[in-house]
Amino acid sequence: METTPDWDWEECLIFFLHGVSAASHLILALAVTGRLLLRRLSAGRTKDGEVGGGDASRSLGRFPYCYRVSVCTTWALAAFEVLLAAYSWYADGGAGWSGDAVAERVDAAARAVSWLLLAAYLQFDVGRRRRQERFPAPLRIWWALFTLLTVVAAGVHAATSLDGFPVPGRSWALDAISVTAAVVLLSAGFLGRKEGNGRGHASEEQEPLLNGAHGAADDDDENSSSSAADASLFTGAGFLSVLTFSWMGPLLRVGHRKTLALEDVPGLEPGDSVAGILPPFKANLEALTRDVNSDGGRSSKKVVTAFTLTKALLRTIWWHVAVTAFYTLVYCVAAYVGPYLIDSLVQYLYLSGDERYAGKGQLLVLAFVVAKVLECLSQRHLFFRLQQAGIRARSALVAVVYQKSLALSSQSRRSRTSGEMINIVSVDADRVGIFSWYLHEVWQVPLQTGMAMFILYSTLGLASLAALAATVAISLATVPLGRMQERFQEKLMDSKDARMKATSESLHSMRILKLQGWEMRFLSKVIDLRKTEANWLKRYLYTSATMTFVFWGTPTFVAVVTFGACMLMGIPLETGKLLSALATFRVLQEPIYELPGTIAMVIKTKVSLARIASFLCLDELPSDAVQRLPRGSSEDFAISVSNGCFSWEASPEFPTLKDLSFQARPGMRVAVCGTVGSGKSSLLSCILGEIPKLSGEVRTCGTTAYVSQSAWIQSGKIQENILFGKEMDTEKYDRVLESCALKKDLEILPFGDQTVIGERGINLSGGQKQRIQIARALYQDADIYLFDDPFSAVDAHTGSHLFKECLLADLASKTVVYVTHQIEFLPAAELILVMKDGRIAQAGKYDEILGSGEELMELVGAHKESLTALDVIDGMNEDNASSSSPSGREKQNLSRSLSLAEKKHEANDDEGNDAQSGQLVQEEEREKGRVGFWVYWKYLTLAYKGALVPLVLLAQMLFQVIQIASNYWMAWAAPVSKDVEPPVSMPTLLSVYVMLALGSSLCILVRSLLLATAGYKTATLLFNKMHFSIFRAPMSFFDSTPSGRILNRASTDQSEVDTNIADQMGTVAFSMIQLVGIIVVMSQVAWQVFVVFIPVFAACVWYQQYYIDTARELQRLVGVCYAPIIQHFAESIAGSSTIRSFGKENQFVTTNSRLTDAYSRPKFYNAGAREWLCFRLDVLSSLVFAFSLIFLINLPTGLIDPGIAGLAITYGLSLNTLQAQVVWSMCTLENKIISVERILQYISIPTEPPLVMSENKLAHNWPSNGEIQLHNLHVKYAPQLPFVLKGLTVTFPGGMKTGIVGRTGSGKSTLIQSLFRIVDPTVGQILIDGVDICTIGLHDLRSRLSIIPQEPTMFEGTVRSNLDPLGEYSDDQIWEALDCCQLGDEVRKQELKLDSPVIENGENWSVGQRQLVCLGRVILKRSKVLVLDEATASVDTATDNLIQRTLRQQFKETTVITIAHRISSVLDSDMVLLLDNGVAVEHDRPNKLLEDKSSLFSKLVAEYTMRAAHT
């Protein structure tokens, strides 16, 4: 069967090019005409707009010069096109109206008309715009498209000329002029940019919107960025600098010279920052969701789907999408020039002695090299722009998700845990950003397949249809695998959410877990959730391995099918055609190899977009829940609630608050009281608009400030927490500190108000946190103040001070609503609301309602009952005054022991001179310099001691050898032309090739499965080791490490280890093996290539070493800048109600934007650095390729087999790609392996002492007596921090009750932590029943003691799992404990009883109820030693009295240590210990201390009594 002659294809191709060119130019002509007409029509109406008055030459920077160049070039090209069109019509007049002639004439006419119109447009429209900054985007896109058309046309003319097809002289002239003009215009288009305003290419429409936002972000940047970080290196770069990525030079020099810090990294382009990308993205999203709603017309709720989210993103980054599409097109065309010309090269080498082909070799080399250069340039800029688009997409999504999280309604907030929301920011938004790499794969693969089919058809005729059928068949066969992957990915993400939720909850509650000895139980819960996740991970990895096998085997399979079809159809397989086909398959194999990754990424991104879209669909707080009037607009009321009915569950059947009606006038004090769970906090929530409103009306007049019951403190300096975004007013600030009794605390703290607070205020006492909250509220100078029982967390003296100075003095003219359990604070209120079962049971002034109902009488009666113990004060005498303070000798001993302790640890305090060394929270640790070899070695040898690694490498090497052997076989066995006798028959040729193909496919299958197995096992081991290490870390680690850092490793870094790092390591090894194979094949033809290759490879290595210094640190900075985003996000979620109440949403959004930009900066320059390297590697590898070609065409005829030479060139075509891939994948691996390095960091953190010590086995009933002795106890939280307890020597007798009192921050809670070995003594010892607690296991100790902590904690689960997490008790015992702690009736009301759900952090239970649950735990446990750390701070006095009675009954023989701010709670103790600044000032029986009027304890009691006497 005869194949179609070659010249037919050239004719068809030239006809097709004329058609495309004509169509493009006609569209351009129509567009320009429309634009000119529109401008003409609107010119009369425009007085002060764009048109008229000025011209483009008035702009700053390079634009005027580029404008003049472009105008001159366009007019010159237009004139040439007119002349050429006239000549074409004249010269071809006698050629008739054949298809080719018509196409050429129409093309010439279209060119002439369109360029004339375009020249006029440039001269008379663009040139007259006043504020022109750069050429319009459509114009630049046209110039880019025109460049592509002209280059392709020139390439086709060159190829047809090489094949002996005559090309007219005017076509060569047109190519020369067009290519020159296109390069000039394209350069002018991308260089022409107005400078001096720093706005880059932000669109004019966005400028007014961006100025404010960007300014806010800059103001909030604390001037921390040096001049290096002020401007982007990319913004002002010239054309050549952009083309060659030389603009990265300054940063690479700095990175090579020293270790990069964030201040060394320059700023972003305005369009890459959140301020630049968010407004257009939100506008696009709003427009698209509005369209969806208008179609439905049923509801005003906006619906965001994954599709609308994708459309909004694409609209926002459309310029990057268009430019990268152009680069992709150029790359695809350039990549297939080589395979197309291979047949011509083989024919030239075979016939090089013929005079007719004398100059053809040089033209071939030129075509190969030009195509390779275009391929390299387009690929580099394609990848860079794709990464830039990804950064923008991620920033936009993080910003919009953050804003949404601040506006969520209470039901929406409860439907999503903080772990799920963190995953949306940390995993899903990141994944959408990474998807930018795969943006054009959807159409690129079909285009490349189509081009491959075109080349195959031109060489093999109809056999190419078999290749197409085989490709389609394989693609269809992978559809079920793709669906399986999508399902596994969804399940994997869901299980990751559940695991992250449990991890986040455990980290936030780590203190209580360690106090109770439950950390290993919760670790096993996380491990169990990980097992579920790992199950889906395993399925996902093995499905991916199968996909990899299928697609890596596809090129070989397609080749077998195609050659088999040739044999059946009788099409001769000549060497040139065969090598052209093989080269085509090699080029095609790259997108096909990447197809599994592309499909997997599309699936992952689709899942992530769906998750983000569903989050954006969640209900927000209704804006009409509260009618907020501006300050001074009403004199009748400040707060008004009429017929209000509210429910946290948004269900009218079970309202939380009902029949609520009250009004507070401006300047009025309103007190709210009631028993636990009566609805006091919910009342404040309804004023804030936080609780869903079922009916009624809520109005407020003026600004609000809110102090929550559970203190919400941000990580950062104390001063920043108090200012809360306001400017510093020193006088006002000092007054606030004085009113909130914070000055003494700040004097004690190492850095005063510059002390950095740990996460959730971890290094502050409960009282200090509450007072900072109150100070924050006071400093805002709001009109309405809402206090949710902040006085319960402070001692009596401080509480009185706060009430007098803050509420009665500073806020005398403000409207104040305060919830309180302290009855003594009620008489000062002008209106008292007594809550019961969600209703206002009584309302009025204290004296008015005291006798009008039972509710208030019950509370007051309980209060008076608690004061009966104070009657002893009346009998106090003035004796024993000397016992009020330590004697001179005691003081001397104290100072001596303190100095000894200081000396003992002065070696650890050497760094104390550094301003930051004493801070609890330090900068995140990051490794510096090269990633150590030990990290790679540890990763490779972790699973099965590295036994699978050599097997994976062996399988890949075998694959490479077999593949080269099969190509050698085909090149040797096929005849050079049809006139030559083949060495073997066609069936033998194909049989051997099929056998080799099967062998290579088997190698790939084995390699894929082994790699997936090794990756899965290593990820599992790293996860288990890291989490065990974290859960066994001392509490000091959690105090000084924000949970965002830990969650970052558990989420992002673990995801890298799960799914990417094994593949990346495989890519490095496989690419190196492939590169060695190529060099071996090329050296078979021309060993002289090594003369060039060796120095070039040395240069590549030098470039790689120069680059990696900067890239490594940039990647580490990406990791370090990531944790603050997560931490700020988690803090904002936790404090969203406080943020909203102060109206600080914009401030927090700005902070989030600043943190996101700080993360994007190193990411952007990391992308630039990578392309800087790859561009240089591409240039060097192109030199090797060019040298090889020149050497080949200059060899004497017959010296080398043309088939083998053609095979070498076939492999050489991918040399530059593979050489760049080797270095690039090595650099990417070094960047990715940092995730392993960060996980290994946490695997090696110090652990707590052993949980159990087998050599020190305790008696089963220890402690039997419960006596606790402290000997010279000194405690500090960290080596660089000061002592908190200073030489305590105290004995707590067994079976007795001891009360510990003292001002806030005196060391009470630290003493308790020492008892549980949360903090080990620095000096001294603690004995329980004569056993030194430092000599026994932590679990042995903590499981034998009980505690009710200061901050009540509940976990997500059920009532049963919260009371009995270890499952040790029966239901009857649990019910008995619930009844004892006054919660039995409340739980019985619930439908599910003990299985009633508890949501994250126990937020569906009041703080008081949570404290009662903690009491229920200790009643169940019944230990011999019980510690109560502010156990009843959040309950009313009546409930407190019941609890105290319960404790007396249940723990008669128990050693009870009580820390309480209510003096009545410690008065019935057997002993009282008074602490002051970490020193035991008084320790005796309470009646003895009360007898001495000068004792500090008696003064404290007297102060409390005086305050209480007001009632």
Side-chain angles (χ1 to χ4, degrees), residues 1268 1312 1315-1316 1345-1349 1418 1425-1429 1431 1455-1459:
I1268 302 169
I1312 301 309
L1315 187 61
F1316 283 81
L1345 311 180
S1346 290
I1347 184 170
I1348 303 177
V1418 301
V1425 176
L1426 170 62
V1427 177
L1428 309 176
D1429 189 359
T1455 305
V1456 179
I1457 299 173
T1458 305
I1459 295 176

Side-chain angles (χ1 to χ4, degrees), residues 166-330:
V167 177
R170 65 173 178 269
S171 294
W172 288 115
L174 177 63
D175 288 342
I177 298 294
S178 296
V179 169
T180 306
V183 170
V184 171
L185 291 172
L186 191 64
S187 303
F190 285 91
L191 277 170
R193 179 186 305 186
K194 179 177 174 180
E195 293 175 347
N197 58 356
R199 285 197 299 267
H201 57 261
S203 66
E204 288 178 20
E205 295 84 4
Q206 292 172 18
E207 281 170 23
L209 196 58
L210 298 187
N211 286 342
H214 203 57
D218 289 342
D219 291 343
D220 200 53
D221 208 10
E222 304 172 353
N223 300 318
S224 62
S225 296
S226 63
S227 58
D230 290 337
S232 170
L233 291 176
F234 185 61
T235 304
F239 176 71
L240 278 176
S241 181
V242 170
L243 189 71
T244 61
F245 295 95
S246 301
W247 55 271
M248 276 299 303
L251 183 61
L252 289 161
R253 279 193 294 275
V254 174
H256 185 61
R257 210 169 49 243
K258 65 164 198 164
T259 301
L260 280 183
L262 189 60
E263 305 84 62
D264 300 315
V265 182
L268 294 166
E269 270 208 307
D272 293 328
S273 67
V274 174
I277 197 70
L278 184 60
F281 174 65
K282 285 184 75 175
N284 287 324
L285 192 60
E286 286 284 328
L288 289 166
T289 51
R290 196 178 304 124
D291 291 342
V292 170
N293 289 325
S294 63
D295 291 344
R298 292 192 301 270
S299 150
S300 61
K301 182 181 174 183
K302 292 186 180 298
V303 178
V304 181
T305 63
F307 181 65
T308 54
L309 198 58
T310 308
K311 276 179 74 178
L313 280 170
L314 290 175
R315 280 191 187 182
T316 307
I317 56 171
W318 72 270
W319 165 248
H320 282 75
V321 173
V323 167
T324 50
F326 170 71
Y327 289 145
T328 305
L329 201 57
V330 173

Side-chain angles (χ1 to χ4, degrees), residues 557-579:
F557 173 73
V558 172
V560 167
V561 170
T562 307
F563 298 149
C566 286
M567 186 179 76
L568 292 174
M569 293 179 181
I571 299 170
L573 282 176
E574 299 163 16
T575 304
K577 292 178 178 179
L578 189 142
L579 287 175

Side-chain angles (χ1 to χ4, degrees), residues 1233-1443:
I1233 203 74
I1234 289 169
S1235 289
V1236 176
E1237 181 185 59
R1238 284 157 58 82
I1239 288 174
L1240 291 174
Q1241 261 182 8
Y1242 274 23
I1243 288 176
S1244 59
I1245 53 178
T1247 61
E1248 282 187 309
L1251 294 174
V1252 179
M1253 286 190 181
S1254 54
E1255 65 272 15
N1256 281 344
K1257 286 204 171 177
L1258 296 166
H1260 73 279
N1261 63 338
W1262 182 90
S1264 55
N1265 186 29
E1267 182 183 65
I1268 302 169
Q1269 296 170 294
L1270 313 180
H1271 293 302
N1272 191 27
L1273 188 65
H1274 289 77
V1275 176
K1276 57 163 74 175
Y1277 281 100
Q1280 72 270 21
L1281 296 178
F1283 282 106
V1284 181
L1285 295 181
K1286 305 163 185 175
L1288 279 185
T1289 301
V1290 177
T1291 299
F1292 300 105
M1296 294 177 69
K1297 294 171 178 55
T1298 303
I1300 303 177
V1301 292
R1303 306 273 186 238
T1304 300
S1306 59
K1308 303 185 295 293
S1309 292
T1310 304
L1311 173 58
I1312 301 309
Q1313 291 188 67
S1314 303
L1315 187 61
F1316 283 81
R1317 290 186 66 192
I1318 297 297
V1319 186
D1320 272 338
T1322 308
V1323 177
Q1325 58 182 176
I1326 302 173
L1327 306 176
I1328 299 180
D1329 281 2
V1331 176
D1332 185 347
I1333 63 170
C1334 290
T1335 64
I1336 61 175
L1338 289 182
H1339 190 265
D1340 289 337
L1341 171 68
R1342 292 168 184 171
S1343 63
R1344 310 291 179 96
L1345 311 180
S1346 290
I1347 184 170
I1348 303 177
Q1350 190 170 8
E1351 293 182 7
T1353 304
M1354 290 180 76
F1355 309 99
E1356 187 171 11
T1358 63
V1359 174
R1360 178 189 279 106
S1361 68
N1362 266 276
L1363 283 163
D1364 181 23
L1366 305 182
E1368 297 174 328
Y1369 304 100
S1370 67
D1371 282 8
D1372 291 340
Q1373 289 172 304
I1374 293 172
W1375 279 117
E1376 185 185 343
L1378 283 170
D1379 289 331
C1380 287
C1381 65
Q1382 311 300 314
L1383 274 178
D1385 292 340
E1386 182 65 32
V1387 175
R1388 286 186 182 91
K1389 284 181 198 171
Q1390 307 284 335
E1391 185 181 346
L1392 298 174
K1393 305 294 189 289
L1394 291 178
D1395 293 318
S1396 300
V1398 176
I1399 66 169
E1400 190 178 18
N1401 300 325
E1403 286 179 7
N1404 55 339
W1405 294 68
S1406 73
V1407 177
Q1409 287 171 326
R1410 284 180 238 166
Q1411 236 165 6
L1412 293 176
V1413 169
C1414 294
L1415 175 64
R1417 288 177 189 149
V1418 301
I1419 291 172
L1420 269 176
K1421 200 172 179 183
R1422 296 186 185 278
S1423 302
K1424 191 63 181 175
V1425 176
L1426 170 62
V1427 177
L1428 309 176
D1429 189 359
E1430 297 297 339
T1432 58
S1434 299
V1435 300
D1436 59 273
T1437 314
T1439 309
D1440 184 18
N1441 290 343
L1442 284 167
I1443 290 170

Side-chain angles (χ1 to χ4, degrees), residues 693-831:
K693 182 175 71 176
L694 301 176
S695 62
E697 183 183 46
V698 182
R699 291 182 293 165
T700 61
C701 181
T703 56
T704 57
Y706 171 59
V707 179
S708 57
Q709 189 173 12
S710 299
W712 178 72
I713 302 288
Q714 284 181 274
S715 301
K717 294 173 184 172
I718 290 174
Q719 186 187 85
E720 292 167 357
N721 269 277
I722 294 172
L723 297 181
F724 208 45
K726 282 219 163 192
E727 291 292 320
M728 167 60 92
D729 179 340
T730 310
E731 187 182 337
K732 179 181 174 184
Y733 182 74
D734 287 339
R735 192 170 65 249
V736 166
L737 291 182
E738 192 69 52
S739 298
C740 296
L742 278 167
K743 289 213 163 181
K744 277 190 177 180
D745 298 89
L746 296 182
E747 286 167 11
I748 295 168
L749 291 169
F751 296 95
D753 64 357
Q754 298 302 305
T755 301
V756 175
I757 301 173
E759 191 176 20
R760 304 185 312 282
I762 205 85
N763 50 334
L764 298 175
S765 70
Q768 287 169 331
K769 283 189 276 190
Q770 280 293 10
R771 282 181 287 135
I772 288 171
Q773 274 210 126
I774 295 169
R776 176 172 64 201
L778 257 60
Y779 194 81
Q780 298 304 305
D781 195 26
D783 301 307
I784 301 168
Y785 283 82
L786 307 175
F787 292 94
D788 194 354
D789 196 21
F791 311 114
S792 62
V794 297
D795 57 76
H797 168 79
T798 309
S800 298
H801 175 88
L802 289 173
F803 189 75
K804 288 173 189 170
E805 296 299 322
C806 297
L807 265 71
L808 301 183
D810 291 354
L811 303 179
S813 61
K814 309 287 186 180
T815 307
V816 181
V817 180
Y818 60 98
V819 171
T820 185
H821 290 130
Q822 277 89 339
I823 300 298
E824 56 270 27
F825 293 151
L826 294 179
E830 296 166 63
L831 173 65

